[in-house]
Amino acid sequence: MSPLRTLFRLHRTLGLIAALFFLVIVITGLLLNHAQALRLDSRYIPSSLLLRWYGIAPPDRLTAFLAGDHWITQLGERLYLDGQELHAHGSQLVGAAALPDMLLAAFDTHLLLLTPQGEVIEDVSSAEGLPAEVRAVTADGANVLLRTTRGDYRTDSQLLNWRQVETGAGHWPKPQPLPAAILEQVNEAYLGKGLPLERVLLDVHSGRIFGTAGVWVVDGAALILLTLVLSGVYMWLHRR
Amino acid sequence: MHRTWLLLLACISNIALAQGTYQPPEDFLKETFSGKVPEPRVLWITKDLRAEVNQIMGHEPGALRIRYWSQDGRTAWVLDEVGKEQPITTGIVVHDNRIEKIKVLVFRESRGWEVRYPFFTDQFRGATLKTDRQLDKSIDGITGATLSVRALTKLARLALFLTQQAHLEQ
């Protein structure tokens, strides 16, 4: 068999082997080339299989308090009012309370005042005179009672001044299990809408979706393409 | 040789001390009001104010109300603004619609801490707000601290603006 014929067979075999890879790379490449126009970064794949593959799952640490008719939940470092994620964070949620026109989430170093719709009214810390090391909070009508490691404090509904008081044992709300419906909403909110399509396409295009092995496979496909180009040009130059 | 080690130690100490609390906000207020800190008040950020604050800061205000302390014509604010990635807590005192004092209270980043020094903050003294919400003074920047300089400048403008609004409400 002539060398040219051998080269032709090699060219054909390699082409067939790599055809599927080329198809994937071409399609993902074309899509990524127009990522902005196609708004790939704002389209999501809500696949639980993919999320598991990427290792995206809600953390185990969940703390929830009932404040009036609302649930204030901390999942990992994120905060939720009922099923809605809040644009605020806290260290460790230690309590929550409902006041006539606002909600209160207490952390060990600060208090978050919220509207019932979840807007932040104020973030109160030691800079605003908050006593240190908060451990629990409760509402007494329009007043707020705070338990800290250094004693109990009372303030008015405006939370402008704190006064040390003796409250006795009192009732200090504890974390409670979330109702199933709220838990589902919180988990969904935590996981987000899913994975951005652009992210997934980039990882498929580069092979990274299958880790290092995937990257090597795509490298191999690229080398095959190079071989096809070189062999194709050679054959064309030496055609009869 | 000893001088080299001392110099090295001084540099390391300087960098290590760059981040941290320079003055607790409560101490800043005590210092400002000679120990007799007035009762705090709040300024609610209404829809109209929100738009103005957004224009000054370049982003939405993080809260619906801001606390301040006012006595004898002097108003003190403790405000936060992100430099590069972390908030810089700053105390600002306004008197007669001019900056009387601006002080970095808590600095959380590893660069840009030079803004805490009087050679920089003294530039703000006497500054007031023009009608376009810009300061009437030019503030010289610091090489390598551009974002911190920008943050403090925005906070100075914000404090002056909020003081005007607080006076209108009183």
Side-chain angles (χ1 to χ4, degrees), chain A residues 120-122 158-161, chain B residues 25-26 39-40 63-65 67:
Chain A
V120 175
I121 296 173
E122 192 178 3
Q158 297 303 307
L159 279 89
L160 290 178
N161 290 301
Chain B
E26 51 270 32
E39 294 293 315
L64 292 179
R65 75 179 199 185
R67 197 173 293 224

Side-chain angles (χ1 to χ4, degrees), chain A residues 102 113 115 119-124 126-129 157-162, chain B residues 25-26 29 38-42 44 50 62-67 69 78 89:
Chain A
M102 67 174 86
L113 310 189
T115 65
E119 281 186 281
V120 175
I121 296 173
E122 192 178 3
D123 194 335
V124 183
S126 60
E128 287 80 28
S157 61
Q158 297 303 307
L159 279 89
L160 290 178
N161 290 301
W162 299 92
Chain B
E26 51 270 32
L29 292 170
E39 294 293 315
R41 301 180 205 186
V42 288
W44 285 89
R50 204 179 183 92
L64 292 179
R65 75 179 199 185
I66 302 179
R67 197 173 293 224
W69 296 259
V78 176
T89 302

Side-chain angles (χ1 to χ4, degrees), chain A residues 94-112:
Chain A
V94 298
L99 297 171
D101 48 8
M102 67 174 86
L103 299 170
L104 192 150
F107 301 87
D108 49 355
T109 56
H110 65 117
L111 296 183
L112 210 53

